[in-house]
PDB file of all heavy atoms in Angstrom:
ATOM      1  N   SER A  84      20.653  -2.519 -13.079  1.00  0.00           N
ATOM      2  CA  SER A  84      20.889  -1.984 -11.755  1.00  0.00           C
ATOM      3  C   SER A  84      22.231  -2.451 -11.165  1.00  0.00           C
ATOM      4  O   SER A  84      22.927  -1.713 -10.493  1.00  0.00           O
ATOM      5  CB  SER A  84      19.749  -2.367 -10.808  1.00  0.00           C
ATOM      6  OG  SER A  84      19.612  -3.775 -10.742  1.00  0.00           O
ATOM      7  N   ALA A  85      22.603  -3.719 -11.465  1.00  0.00           N
ATOM      8  CA  ALA A  85      23.889  -4.222 -10.979  1.00  0.00           C
ATOM      9  C   ALA A  85      25.032  -3.486 -11.647  1.00  0.00           C
ATOM     10  O   ALA A  85      26.029  -3.128 -11.013  1.00  0.00           O
ATOM     11  CB  ALA A  85      23.993  -5.724 -11.242  1.00  0.00           C
ATOM     12  N   ALA A  86      24.876  -3.245 -12.947  1.00  0.00           N
ATOM     13  CA  ALA A  86      25.909  -2.506 -13.670  1.00  0.00           C
ATOM     14  C   ALA A  86      26.036  -1.089 -13.141  1.00  0.00           C
ATOM     15  O   ALA A  86      27.114  -0.512 -13.075  1.00  0.00           O
ATOM     16  CB  ALA A  86      25.581  -2.478 -15.169  1.00  0.00           C
ATOM     17  N   LEU A  87      24.911  -0.519 -12.736  1.00  0.00           N
ATOM     18  CA  LEU A  87      24.916   0.833 -12.212  1.00  0.00           C
ATOM     19  C   LEU A  87      25.784   0.911 -10.962  1.00  0.00           C
ATOM     20  O   LEU A  87      26.560   1.845 -10.789  1.00  0.00           O
ATOM     21  CB  LEU A  87      23.490   1.255 -11.889  1.00  0.00           C
ATOM     22  CG  LEU A  87      23.298   2.605 -11.186  1.00  0.00           C
ATOM     23  CD1 LEU A  87      23.810   3.734 -12.068  1.00  0.00           C
ATOM     24  CD2 LEU A  87      21.832   2.835 -10.841  1.00  0.00           C
ATOM     25  N   LYS A  88      25.686  -0.089 -10.103  1.00  0.00           N
ATOM     26  CA  LYS A  88      26.450  -0.083  -8.867  1.00  0.00           C
ATOM     27  C   LYS A  88      27.945  -0.296  -9.116  1.00  0.00           C
ATOM     28  O   LYS A  88      28.785   0.249  -8.416  1.00  0.00           O
ATOM     29  CB  LYS A  88      25.924  -1.183  -7.930  1.00  0.00           C
ATOM     30  CG  LYS A  88      24.507  -0.912  -7.447  1.00  0.00           C
ATOM     31  CD  LYS A  88      24.020  -2.058  -6.583  1.00  0.00           C
ATOM     32  CE  LYS A  88      22.577  -1.819  -6.134  1.00  0.00           C
ATOM     33  NZ  LYS A  88      22.054  -2.943  -5.343  1.00  0.00           N
ATOM     34  N   SER A  89      28.268  -1.082 -10.145  1.00  0.00           N
ATOM     35  CA  SER A  89      29.679  -1.419 -10.353  1.00  0.00           C
ATOM     36  C   SER A  89      30.400  -0.428 -11.253  1.00  0.00           C
ATOM     37  O   SER A  89      31.525  -0.045 -10.980  1.00  0.00           O
ATOM     38  CB  SER A  89      29.790  -2.840 -10.945  1.00  0.00           C
ATOM     39  OG  SER A  89      29.094  -2.892 -12.194  1.00  0.00           O
ATOM     40  N   SER A  90      29.743   0.026 -12.319  1.00  0.00           N
ATOM     41  CA  SER A  90      30.435   0.863 -13.286  1.00  0.00           C
ATOM     42  C   SER A  90      29.981   2.324 -13.292  1.00  0.00           C
ATOM     43  O   SER A  90      30.654   3.182 -13.814  1.00  0.00           O
ATOM     44  CB  SER A  90      30.239   0.293 -14.699  1.00  0.00           C
ATOM     45  OG  SER A  90      28.886   0.403 -15.072  1.00  0.00           O
ATOM     46  N   LEU A  91      28.806   2.579 -12.706  1.00  0.00           N
ATOM     47  CA  LEU A  91      28.235   3.917 -12.727  1.00  0.00           C
ATOM     48  C   LEU A  91      28.195   4.482 -14.142  1.00  0.00           C
ATOM     49  O   LEU A  91      28.559   5.625 -14.394  1.00  0.00           O
ATOM     50  CB  LEU A  91      29.006   4.857 -11.791  1.00  0.00           C
ATOM     51  CG  LEU A  91      28.832   4.596 -10.293  1.00  0.00           C
ATOM     52  CD1 LEU A  91      29.658   5.555  -9.478  1.00  0.00           C
ATOM     53  CD2 LEU A  91      27.364   4.737  -9.902  1.00  0.00           C
ATOM     54  N   SER A  92      27.760   3.630 -15.089  1.00  0.00           N
ATOM     55  CA  SER A  92      27.620   4.065 -16.474  1.00  0.00           C
ATOM     56  C   SER A  92      26.721   5.295 -16.527  1.00  0.00           C
ATOM     57  O   SER A  92      25.639   5.319 -15.943  1.00  0.00           O
ATOM     58  CB  SER A  92      27.001   2.932 -17.298  1.00  0.00           C
ATOM     59  OG  SER A  92      26.480   3.401 -18.506  1.00  0.00           O
ATOM     60  N   PHE A  93      27.168   6.317 -17.249  1.00  0.00           N
ATOM     61  CA  PHE A  93      26.433   7.579 -17.294  1.00  0.00           C
ATOM     62  C   PHE A  93      25.040   7.372 -17.865  1.00  0.00           C
ATOM     63  O   PHE A  93      24.057   7.888 -17.338  1.00  0.00           O
ATOM     64  CB  PHE A  93      27.192   8.613 -18.117  1.00  0.00           C
ATOM     65  CG  PHE A  93      26.491   9.934 -18.211  1.00  0.00           C
ATOM     66  CD1 PHE A  93      26.452  10.793 -17.117  1.00  0.00           C
ATOM     67  CD2 PHE A  93      25.838  10.327 -19.365  1.00  0.00           C
ATOM     68  CE1 PHE A  93      25.800  12.003 -17.176  1.00  0.00           C
ATOM     69  CE2 PHE A  93      25.172  11.541 -19.450  1.00  0.00           C
ATOM     70  CZ  PHE A  93      25.153  12.379 -18.342  1.00  0.00           C
ATOM     71  N   SER A  94      24.935   6.613 -18.945  1.00  0.00           N
ATOM     72  CA  SER A  94      23.636   6.416 -19.592  1.00  0.00           C
ATOM     73  C   SER A  94      22.678   5.671 -18.667  1.00  0.00           C
ATOM     74  O   SER A  94      21.483   5.989 -18.581  1.00  0.00           O
ATOM     75  CB  SER A  94      23.801   5.668 -20.905  1.00  0.00           C
ATOM     76  OG  SER A  94      24.353   4.382 -20.682  1.00  0.00           O
ATOM     77  N   VAL A  95      23.195   4.660 -17.954  1.00  0.00           N
ATOM     78  CA  VAL A  95      22.368   3.900 -17.026  1.00  0.00           C
ATOM     79  C   VAL A  95      21.920   4.797 -15.870  1.00  0.00           C
ATOM     80  O   VAL A  95      20.765   4.779 -15.435  1.00  0.00           O
ATOM     81  CB  VAL A  95      23.118   2.671 -16.482  1.00  0.00           C
ATOM     82  CG1 VAL A  95      22.317   1.986 -15.384  1.00  0.00           C
ATOM     83  CG2 VAL A  95      23.400   1.690 -17.617  1.00  0.00           C
ATOM     84  N   LEU A  96      22.851   5.636 -15.396  1.00  0.00           N
ATOM     85  CA  LEU A  96      22.532   6.548 -14.308  1.00  0.00           C
ATOM     86  C   LEU A  96      21.447   7.530 -14.697  1.00  0.00           C
ATOM     87  O   LEU A  96      20.499   7.772 -13.944  1.00  0.00           O
ATOM     88  CB  LEU A  96      23.800   7.294 -13.882  1.00  0.00           C
ATOM     89  CG  LEU A  96      23.652   8.301 -12.739  1.00  0.00           C
ATOM     90  CD1 LEU A  96      23.183   7.597 -11.476  1.00  0.00           C
ATOM     91  CD2 LEU A  96      24.970   9.029 -12.494  1.00  0.00           C
TER      92      LEU A  96
END
Side-chain angles (χ1 to χ4, degrees):
S84 58
L87 174 61
K88 293 177 182 178
S89 60
S90 67
L91 290 179
S92 163
F93 180 74
S94 61
V95 173
L96 180 61

